[in-house]
Amino acid sequence: MIISNPKGTQDFLPLQSGQKHLVETRFRETVGLYGFSEIVTPTFEHTELFLRSTGLTTDIITKQIYQFIDKGGRDITLRPEGTPGIVRAVLQYNLKLPVRMFYIGPMFRYERPQKGRYREFYQLGVEAVGEIGPDIDVEIIEIGSRFFTGLGLKDVITKVNSVGCAVCRPKHRTELGLFLERNKAKICDDCKGRAERNPMRIFDCKEATCQELYINAPKIVDYLCFDCQQHFQSVLNELVERKIPFELNKMMVRGLDYYTRTAFEFVSSSSELGAQDSLGGGGRYDNLVEDFGGPKTPAIGFALGLERIMLALGTPRPIRKAVYIIPLDPSIQKQGKELLRLLRNANIPALLNNPDKNLRAGLGIADNLACEYVIIIGSEEVKKQIYTVKNLVKRTQKQVPQNQIIEVLTNKENQS
Ligand code: HAM
């Protein structure tokens, strides 16, 4: 029996890998415009790191972490998200602040797999540590908008909210607690648990009856302290000033414990995504550096889900770029090899047909390999030093003198 990949993991076959690479390249280009540099941290960390940051009451920690004791007796967790490892690195290496970093890599969560939700998935993220805002809050949201627009994803809405701070939360928590107590009979069992552990998390509930009820529940944004209110108002004003489209969503609270003040999510209405419509999200985490034992340091970031972005982009079309050389006779293989070397030296991707494959088979292979051109060399062609160049995309062909092949292939305007 053929062994298949584990549940919740994905293979990126060559076609998808091309699209993955393109998305990553666009991401690097976009964040580069805002001065972000790459950071690479390990895919596993000490479990304690996530317990102290992602949050003890979150689904990620209570249900989804890949945790194990390694052969040396260490308690290890495959990272479910990138932020904690990066904050650790900032402190461990005493990085000069402010610092703007981006990352691309796999994350692991033991979730119920479905379209757009996997156990191993890739995130593209940014973290800006040491900037108090509100300008950086807006820059970060702008990066997301610019990136999605650049990819041609038009149906992405940016939902923005403020989740306050330790000063404003207690009053809201009390009011929300009273609301939930009054409506105890109407809320689902999961929300009863949330009400005890971390009431604000009820807004994440997907049950329609709960969602309807919570429209009238007290929202944190209406309980902000003076400083948080000022901060949030400046963020909203600047978003308008920079003409960044957004939607104020008072029920969006995010699923991780470390958030403070500005929180946001990029949501797609693409029919390809269904329930997993969040392409990414982030927010401020002004207490995390301190919680890890560092000095009080403001910070903000986001992470985007690579697979969901690829789903929203749709099935990729193969990018045809290589040249496939078919010598029509084994005696001409030498000329084929020479042309192969010539093309590769000119930075043109090229492949040579195997002598045991005839023209028909060779053309089939060229098509399978998504080549752009086929160059056919017969003994007459060798004599005349004129080769047949077939364009597989335009389905045309012409005779090209041997010494003009590179020019014709690189100057595509003139190529029929
Ligand atoms: P998050 O909302 O947990 O935030 O994840 C961010 C994005 O990762 C989601 O919006 C989604 O696109 C993608 N994602 C999450 N889980 C899965 C999954 N099981 N399968 C496929 N894609 C998934 C964070 O991770 C924070 N660290 C973001 C952040 C950075 N906040 C501040 N800085």
Side-chain angles (χ1 to χ4, degrees), residues 49-115:
L49 185 85
F50 301 110
L51 301 186
R52 277 171 57 183
S53 52
T54 310
L56 292 172
T57 64
T58 59
D59 279 357
I60 297 180
I61 295 299
T62 54
K63 304 179 192 159
Q64 299 168 355
I65 53 172
Y66 276 90
Q67 183 182 6
F68 59 96
I69 304 296
D70 76 3
K71 290 190 173 68
R74 296 172 200 89
D75 190 348
I76 294 294
T77 286
L78 301 187
R79 63 179 182 195
E81 53 146 342
T83 313
I86 290 172
V87 172
R88 171 197 55 69
V90 167
L91 281 171
Q92 187 174 340
Y93 302 103
N94 202 9
L95 295 189
K96 249 198 159 85
L97 301 184
V99 58
R100 294 183 171 198
M101 296 156 292
F102 79 89
Y103 54 99
I104 299 173
M107 309 291 156
F108 307 87
R109 297 183 191 175
Y110 193 81
E111 296 208 62
R112 200 162 42 80
Q114 55 175 260
K115 195 175 184 184

Side-chain angles (χ1 to χ4, degrees), residues 3 12 21 35 53 61 96 144 148 160 213 234 276 299 345 412:
I3 299 170
F12 292 91
H21 186 73
S53 52
I61 295 299
K96 249 198 159 85
F148 290 124
V160 182
L213 183 71
S234 308
Q276 306 308 314
N345 286 348
K412 295 195 175 161

